[in-house]
Amino acid sequence: MSVSPLSPLVSASLARASGDPDWLAAARAAGLERYAKGGLPSRAEHLWRYTDPVRLVPGSAPSDPETRFGDLPPDFADGTFERASAYAIARDGVLLRAAVDPLIAHLGFLVEDLRAAAASRRALVEPRLFALRDTCDGAGGRFDDLAAALFTGGTFVHVPRGVTLDRPVRIAHRVGGGFAASRSLVVAEAQCTATVVIDLSSAAETDAGTLHETIEIHVGRGAELRVVFVQRLGDRATHAPVVRSRVERDGVLDTVTVALGGGLVKSLQTVELAEPGARANALGIVFADGRRHLDHHTFLDHAAPSTSSDLDYRAAVAGRSRSSFTGRLRIPAAGARSSAHQSNRNLVLADTARADAIPELEILTNDVSCSHAVATSPIDEEQLHFAMTRGLSPADARKLIVLGFFEPALEKIPPGMLADGVREVLERKLGAAS
Amino acid sequence: MTPDNGPTPAETAAAERTASEARDIGGDYDRKYGFHDDESAYDFKSKKGLDHAIVEMISRYKKEPEWMRERRHAALDVFLAKPMPRWGNSKLLDDIDFANIHYYVRASERQGKTWEEVPEQVKKTFDRLGIPEAERKFLAGVTAQYESEVVYHSIREDLDKLGVVFTDMDTGLREHEEIVRRHWGTVIPSEDNKFSALNTAVWSGGSFVYVPKGVKVEIPLQAYFRINTENMGQFERTLIIADEGSQVHYIEGCTAPTYSSDSLHSAVVELIAMPGSKIRYTTIQNWSKNVYNLVTKRAVAHAGARVEWIDGNLGSKLTMKYPAVYLVGERAHAEILSVAFSGKDQHQDAGSKVVHVAPNTTSVVTSKSISKDGGRGTYRGLVKVHKGAKGAKVNVKCDALILDAASRSDTYPTMEVDEKKVAVEHEATVSKVGDEQLFFLMSRGLTEEEATLLIVNGFIEPFTKELPMEYAVELNRLIQLEMEGSVG
Amino acid sequence: MTERRLCAAADLPPGAVRVFEVGPWSLAAARVANAVHVVENRCSHDDGPLGAGRLVEGASGSAEIECPRHGARFELATGRASRMPAVSPIERFPARVSGDDVLVDIPEDA
Ligand code: FES
């Protein structure tokens, strides 16, 4: 397997680094070196069973990011901060603009470009950026290293200790047809409460760009953080997100991952429950239609005693699409008295679609409560029949059932923010699929 | 046993009885199975190491047909070319020293037709293991393999008359060459994996079973495998064909002495269940803890056929074994039921594969694993539903019990579904012995040890109840031995 | 369907197997005596690279290709799986020798 020529990547990395503080430039160089040394992951590694890593190798250096965002998403439009405590827009990995509700600006929470913050707020950024590389066995390191070397920008969200944000931080990210690398950092300090909603879309439906994206999330002691990812890329886009999280004592991380678009998606999410009492809830919904290939991997590591996790991933596959879910759950000897539960359900809507599930448990101690369950089936005939006896057409009945299947995750998207958009996309896709 | 109601007084009494029986047995593996016999009387023992000369020697010695000799040589090349698997337990696998193994060892010249004809020292071994006694009691036929060759073989006359063939694989090849040639290696080609290639190159012994159309063999056929020599490799090869509408139950048991250096057991077992037939294959593997047990077992089930793997893994240092069923005919059914007990220094990497190819095929997989004293139990499974297998139903359930904080359990199932009209369900749980259950039993007068044993027995009950009585009793005893001293 | 040139006939001598990348497809082309066969370069068992496999004669005398990974075999003329561990067929594309060229038919939207 050949790795595409490195030299354009090297010079691109150097160029990016030119504006960076020394420590960041050094981290980029180290990332590039690891990428160059590592070679591609082998297809024999089970995380790469279903997706050929070659398809994620950039063919060229990152393109220069576009500086115009285009029309704002509908929920940005009213110009008030009624629904969000901050708004931000990013293009090709670079934060273009961010605005914080002036009435609560005194709380001191930050939504900024990460590279700018690396220079101006070193004490906040440096100890956390790249700090999660080696957690969770360093899973997925290869392309993460590439993104470390090349990232053009990203978002830095910082919620200070004890602050409660009653409205979400809303970020919209658009990518074009080139190759982009971005990196974001979300820090929820001890005892704070916050929600961050990020949606990702293609600038034009036909854009065939590639985005390598890494997001690091730190949840401090007793903090409660919810992060909602909505991915609505165009059919030809390639997306390789790596989301790494670490949760400290009694902290809670809630993630909601919604994947509706992209031609090829290879996603990795890791959560390290690093201190006693840490908790993670992970909900995921995947709708695959057309020829989409959506490959999601999660890794939950109960690295400390008395930690808990609950994961529920649901996928509906239509057309000639394919969804793969690999969920690894580990309780090492240090994780006594932990509880961990995973569920993966797949609805198969077409004969030509395919759903793969690999839920994995690695339990190295006995005082635990741990389970996983997988179910793969078509729409239940009885449910369908029942809905039709209530006067629904077969197509509407199907829509209703699939939306109901996704409802637990949809409910967690803050009201007035994307949830309607997601429902609309689902309805449209279901209309086309039936 | 129902945890909410607790055991009845009769159950409690029974537990006490079995627990005290366990103490009465008092012996450990070494005393019961771990003895070894003098090797000086051996007829033939190949030099250590593996090359084309050894393969040639084995084939010539057995006076095999040309095609088999060629297959062996080709398979050796495949074995040498294939890398060692990078999964399962790479560390232990990499420790295998293929140059330090005897690939062929024969303890006696002839196969005994009657028990008396078996050489004295071999007979003693099997006497000690209780084989002739078991045969008299309830078996339809017995094959006993000692080192590389089958040393004793018998089949009940009535079955013989019905045309049932139950013999060792070498004799099968000699006397039924056409059938063997048609089926041998079709379910598991030598290229399948490194160890199936090794087996194909150096196989010796194993069973050949053919059950003619419509014949139902009501009581089990048994094979007993014994390794006696240190650094020995046992590579038996088994092929079972159940013709249309027939039925057969085959049981195998395996033991070896405990040596300071390791032995290798690498069998290939192929089952072919023709339309409407039924094959049940039961294994109680109790190898000593210095045996690598790397086995490929696979079945093909044609229309309406039923294949059952009942698989108990107690012994060995490392077992890697994933009995498979390919459901290629409509309404074929697979049942895979397994128990793995991983104690100190043991890794049981076991599991199952079901491949649904035809419509309305069904499968049920039940796996129970117990880890203790730092042992590691791994369930590794594959469910694959091919396009066109409409109406397929799959149910997989894996439960693991971890008895102490140092032990480990892994679950690695893979489900690939390529068809819409299917129902695939998989569930796994990992737990410890419940404190409440334990407390309840102890409040009824059981010691902690007895209570734990009762709970473990209840945990594996779905497995034990599928075994013939003698085997169930034996299994319970083995578990008791393993459990001894596990608390306090 | 569009018929396109795969390679020169001389580049695919009898007994040879070669791999070609055509659009989104990776293809394995084999020449058995005078017939050329083009199949998908992907084993239906577990995506093994069929084009790296060898040609063998099947039980019924048919020309078959053997997957180098686990030994599954496929009939070149039909795509049918003839030996475990593969059970489902592989994709096949009509191909022929025309003059000095090997031509193959690849559907627009396969
Ligand atoms: S991938 Fe071809 S035989 Fe397994």
Side-chain angles (χ1 to χ4, degrees):
Chain A
M1 233 177 276
S2 65
V3 179
S4 63
L6 272 173
S7 50
L9 300 183
V10 173
S11 44
S13 170
L14 287 175
R16 297 278 176 252
S18 66
D20 287 337
D22 291 350
W23 64 268
L24 184 51
R28 284 184 189 273
L32 191 67
E33 198 182 317
R34 281 191 304 269
Y35 176 74
K37 260 211 213 109
L40 284 184
S42 139
R43 290 296 303 267
E45 286 171 38
H46 79 281
L47 285 188
W48 294 96
R49 257 182 93 120
Y50 299 120
T51 302
D52 189 345
V54 170
R55 295 177 67 189
L56 301 178
V57 173
S60 62
S63 22
D64 281 330
E66 166 67 55
T67 51
R68 279 163 313 179
F69 184 80
D71 295 341
L72 289 175
D75 62 316
F76 276 55
D78 67 1
T80 71
F81 286 90
E82 205 172 299
R83 285 192 294 243
S85 52
Y87 286 102
I89 48 174
R91 181 65 210 254
D92 297 336
V94 178
L95 193 71
L96 297 178
R97 233 166 341 117
V100 167
D101 180 354
L103 294 178
I104 54 169
H106 64 277
L107 295 175
F109 73 103
L110 305 172
V111 182
E112 297 181 344
D113 181 65
L114 179 64
R115 287 178 71 201
S120 62
R121 304 183 193 277
R122 177 170 179 180
L124 285 183
V125 176
E126 190 187 357
R128 265 98 168 217
L129 196 63
F130 306 112
L132 306 185
R133 254 199 95 240
D134 296 320
T135 60
C136 300
D137 294 353
R142 280 287 292 146
F143 291 109
D144 192 10
D145 288 336
L146 180 70
L150 297 177
F151 76 97
T152 27
T155 312
F156 174 52
V157 177
H158 183 264
V159 186
R161 188 183 177 94
V163 165
T164 295
L165 296 183
D166 56 352
R167 286 151 292 148
V169 172
R170 171 77 172 91
I171 301 166
H173 186 188
R174 250 172 225 166
V175 289
F179 161 49
S182 84
R183 185 158 204 111
S184 296
L185 178 63
V186 178
V187 180
E189 299 280 8
Q191 314 301 338
C192 77
T193 306
T195 298
V196 178
V197 178
I198 308 172
D199 81 312
L200 177 66
S201 53
S202 294
E205 193 48 35
T206 51
D207 278 342
T210 297
L211 174 66
H212 280 273
E213 182 184 32
T214 301
I215 302 176
E216 284 170 285
I217 298 175
H218 293 258
V219 180
R221 297 195 167 185
E224 284 178 32
L225 177 69
R226 174 177 298 176
V227 186
V228 179
F229 304 97
V230 177
Q231 184 270 98
R232 287 181 293 183
L233 290 166
D235 294 351
R236 299 174 60 202
T238 298
H239 186 210
V242 176
V243 180
R244 297 179 189 284
S245 314
R246 181 173 186 276
V247 186
E248 294 177 0
R249 181 181 293 270
D250 298 329
V252 181
L253 173 66
D254 254 322
T255 53
V256 181
T257 305
V258 179
L260 305 175
L264 171 66
V265 174
K266 173 72 187 162
S267 155
L268 169 69
Q269 297 189 346
T270 68
V271 182
E272 184 197 15
L273 298 168
E275 295 181 353
R279 173 166 180 81
N281 299 311
L283 292 177
I285 63 179
V286 173
F287 188 91
D289 57 353
R291 290 173 165 274
R292 258 176 254 295
H293 177 109
L294 308 183
D295 184 345
H296 286 81
H297 176 59
T298 61
F299 183 3
L300 272 148
D301 193 2
H302 289 252
S306 304
T307 51
S308 58
S309 68
D310 216 320
L311 177 144
D312 183 342
Y313 257 71
R314 300 183 180 202
V317 288
R320 296 170 140 258
S321 72
R322 176 166 183 182
S323 161
S324 303
F325 170 74
T326 312
R328 183 164 162 212
L329 213 168
R330 181 168 70 174
I331 308 185
R337 295 179 304 288
S338 289
S339 99
H341 301 281
Q342 293 206 340
S343 148
N344 171 224
R345 296 216 265 153
N346 301 294
L347 262 192
V348 188
L349 303 177
D351 273 334
T352 42
R354 168 165 171 171
D356 306 317
I358 311 187
E360 304 176 307
L361 305 177
E362 289 179 346
I363 313 300
L364 282 72
T365 189
N366 69 326
D367 196 356
V368 297
S369 148
C370 185
S371 69
H372 70 211
V374 172
T376 301
S377 63
I379 286 183
D380 182 30
E381 291 291 333
E382 267 169 46
Q383 268 188 42
L384 201 61
H385 184 77
F386 179 78
M388 283 159 63
T389 59
R390 300 285 134 139
L392 289 178
S393 71
D396 286 345
R398 273 166 56 101
K399 266 188 212 172
L400 194 73
I401 291 168
V402 177
L403 285 172
F405 176 68
F406 286 144
E407 195 53 36
L410 296 177
E411 270 171 12
K412 298 268 170 120
I413 304 175
M417 195 162 288
L418 287 174
D420 295 341
V422 169
R423 279 199 185 86
E424 253 165 51
V425 173
L426 283 172
E427 282 190 37
R428 197 180 62 232
K429 284 173 180 281
L430 282 163
S434 57
Chain B
M1 199 183 58
T2 47
D4 30 343
N5 304 327
T8 63
E11 278 171 330
T12 311
E16 274 164 16
R17 245 190 343 270
T18 46
S20 73
E21 262 173 38
R23 278 191 295 274
D24 288 347
I25 293 171
D28 51 10
Y29 182 93
D30 273 332
R31 205 166 94 208
K32 195 146 191 263
Y33 308 99
F35 59 90
H36 70 273
D37 313 315
D38 179 20
E39 296 168 27
S40 56
Y42 275 24
D43 188 55
F44 182 86
K45 188 162 155 183
S46 79
K47 69 176 181 12
K48 284 181 185 172
L50 182 57
D51 52 23
H52 281 282
I54 293 276
V55 167
E56 184 68 23
M57 184 279 297
I58 295 173
S59 186
R60 293 228 177 274
Y61 215 82
K62 291 175 177 290
K63 301 193 178 63
E64 283 175 349
E66 195 55 22
W67 63 270
M68 183 59 82
R69 195 178 66 89
E70 280 167 13
R71 279 212 204 176
R72 286 181 184 272
H73 282 292
L76 179 62
D77 290 332
V78 174
F79 167 75
L80 295 172
K82 270 200 192 288
M84 193 59 111
R86 289 337 294 163
W87 49 276
N89 191 327
S90 300
K91 202 189 126 357
L92 287 182
L93 286 176
D94 290 345
D95 283 347
I96 301 177
D97 181 1
F98 289 103
N100 192 34
I101 290 173
H102 296 284
Y103 287 86
Y104 182 75
V105 177
R106 190 167 68 171
S108 88
E109 181 64 49
R110 284 177 321 142
Q111 193 181 107
K113 282 273 175 288
T114 68
W115 192 242
E116 280 62 45
E117 280 173 47
V118 175
E120 198 53 36
Q121 140 251 6
V122 174
K123 193 160 64 181
K124 262 199 317 222
T125 304
F126 288 112
D127 277 342
R128 240 176 124 170
L129 296 167
I131 303 307
E133 195 193 338
E135 180 186 3
R136 270 196 302 277
K137 272 195 194 143
F138 72 104
L139 294 169
V142 171
T143 272
Q145 178 159 350
Y146 192 78
E147 313 295 23
S148 298
E149 294 284 351
V150 168
V151 292
Y152 170 68
H153 179 77
S154 81
I155 179 166
R156 273 185 10 192
E157 243 173 65
D158 52 336
L159 292 175
D160 206 16
K161 287 214 181 85
L162 286 170
V164 175
V165 179
F166 173 42
T167 180
D168 66 280
M169 194 68 235
D170 297 273
T171 308
L173 175 59
R174 264 196 314 278
E175 294 177 1
H176 308 274
E177 187 180 337
E178 264 327 294
I179 306 189
V180 171
R181 187 170 185 174
R182 196 157 64 238
H183 295 287
W184 202 93
T186 58
V187 184
I188 305 173
S190 58
E191 292 85 351
D192 191 81
N193 64 73
K194 192 168 180 73
F195 293 94
S196 63
L198 176 62
N199 175 283
T200 307
V202 298
W203 73 272
S204 184
S207 303
F208 174 63
V209 177
Y210 172 79
V211 187
K213 277 189 189 155
V215 173
K216 295 196 165 54
V217 183
E218 305 282 358
I219 42 177
L221 303 172
Q222 192 202 347
Y224 199 85
F225 298 95
R226 172 78 182 174
I227 294 179
N228 187 58
T229 304
E230 186 163 16
N231 299 323
M232 156 84 189
Q234 192 175 66
F235 306 96
E236 89 269 10
R237 179 90 189 196
T238 290
L239 171 63
I240 298 181
I241 302 166
D243 215 329
E244 277 173 42
S246 70
Q247 195 173 310
V248 65
H249 181 188
Y250 177 90
I251 308 187
E252 67 181 14
C254 335
T255 64
T258 311
Y259 283 112
S260 56
S261 62
D262 302 330
S263 296
L264 171 61
H265 173 251
S266 187
V268 166
V269 176
E270 299 176 285
L271 310 185
I272 298 172
M274 300 305 273
S277 68
K278 175 179 166 185
I279 302 178
R280 169 176 283 208
Y281 193 110
T282 301
T283 306
I284 304 289
Q285 173 270 106
N286 188 30
W287 294 114
S288 60
K289 289 177 187 170
N290 56 339
V291 172
Y292 280 89
N293 186 39
L294 309 169
V295 172
T296 312
K297 293 185 162 176
R298 188 179 297 157
V300 186
H302 292 275
R306 181 181 176 99
V307 171
E308 302 171 350
W309 294 106
I310 314 286
D311 202 53
N313 292 295
L314 289 119
S316 84
K317 173 187 207 151
L318 171 66
T319 284
M320 286 173 66
K321 174 165 56 163
Y322 321 96
V325 185
Y326 278 64
L327 299 158
V328 301
E330 208 163 327
R331 288 186 326 285
H333 177 76
E335 193 97 23
I336 302 175
L337 179 56
S338 63
V339 162
F341 193 105
S342 320
K344 191 169 185 309
D345 299 326
Q346 283 185 290
H347 183 183
Q348 306 282 9
D349 199 303
S352 66
K353 292 183 189 175
V354 284
V355 179
H356 290 254
V357 185
N360 300 315
T361 45
T362 49
S363 60
V364 176
V365 175
T366 310
S367 154
K368 300 273 181 183
S369 122
I370 300 162
S371 336
K372 176 177 173 286
D373 297 331
R376 175 173 179 194
T378 300
Y379 173 82
R380 202 180 292 277
L382 171 73
V383 169
K384 180 150 186 150
V385 181
H386 281 262
K387 201 170 294 308
K390 290 198 188 326
K393 282 202 180 65
V394 184
N395 189 297
V396 180
K397 191 148 179 26
C398 307
D399 296 314
L401 198 56
I402 310 185
L403 295 180
D404 49 54
S407 302
R408 165 169 188 174
S409 159
D410 311 303
T411 314
Y412 301 116
T414 297
M415 278 145 277
E416 299 180 347
V417 178
D418 229 330
E419 170 59 56
K420 174 177 151 190
K421 292 203 175 51
V422 299
V424 177
E425 282 169 27
H426 168 102
E427 265 178 61
T429 63
V430 180
S431 56
K432 60 172 186 165
V433 169
D435 287 332
E436 278 158 46
Q437 246 177 321
L438 213 50
F439 178 78
F440 178 83
L441 290 169
M442 287 165 70
S443 74
R444 305 286 291 258
L446 268 66
T447 65
E448 189 177 350
E449 189 168 333
E450 290 160 351
T452 307
L453 182 60
L454 194 67
I455 291 167
V456 169
N457 280 342
F459 178 74
I460 61 164
E461 157 89 18
F463 182 85
T464 6
K465 78 172 198 285
E466 291 301 323
L467 298 177
M469 231 261 287
E470 287 78 355
Y471 279 81
V473 169
E474 181 68 13
L475 182 77
N476 278 336
R477 285 189 183 180
L478 290 172
I479 298 263
Q480 278 161 24
L481 289 175
E482 296 289 346
M483 295 288 298
E484 253 175 29
S486 67
V487 270
Chain C
M1 293 270 186
T2 40
E3 203 170 46
R4 54 187 113 187
R5 180 178 180 274
L6 197 61
C7 64
D11 288 344
L12 196 65
V17 185
R18 282 188 57 195
V19 173
F20 297 92
E21 308 293 329
V22 179
W25 295 97
S26 180
L27 304 174
R31 177 99 170 252
V32 182
N34 275 326
V36 285
H37 300 281
V38 176
V39 295
E40 195 184 350
N41 179 27
R42 192 176 68 165
C43 176
S44 70
H45 170 236
D46 195 27
D47 297 354
L50 277 182
R54 57 186 186 125
L55 297 175
V56 291
E57 195 183 309
S60 50
S62 53
E64 300 185 353
I65 190 160
E66 183 180 288
C67 178
R69 279 190 60 214
H70 314 103
R73 290 181 181 176
F74 300 90
E75 286 176 4
L76 283 166
T78 61
R80 191 180 76 89
S82 60
R83 186 165 89 168
M84 304 265 278
V87 284
S88 43
I90 48 171
E91 197 90 33
R92 246 192 108 256
F93 303 94
R96 65 192 174 98
V97 180
S98 160
D100 290 341
D101 296 328
V102 175
L103 302 178
V104 62
D105 241 3
I106 300 202
E108 290 302 339
D109 181 50

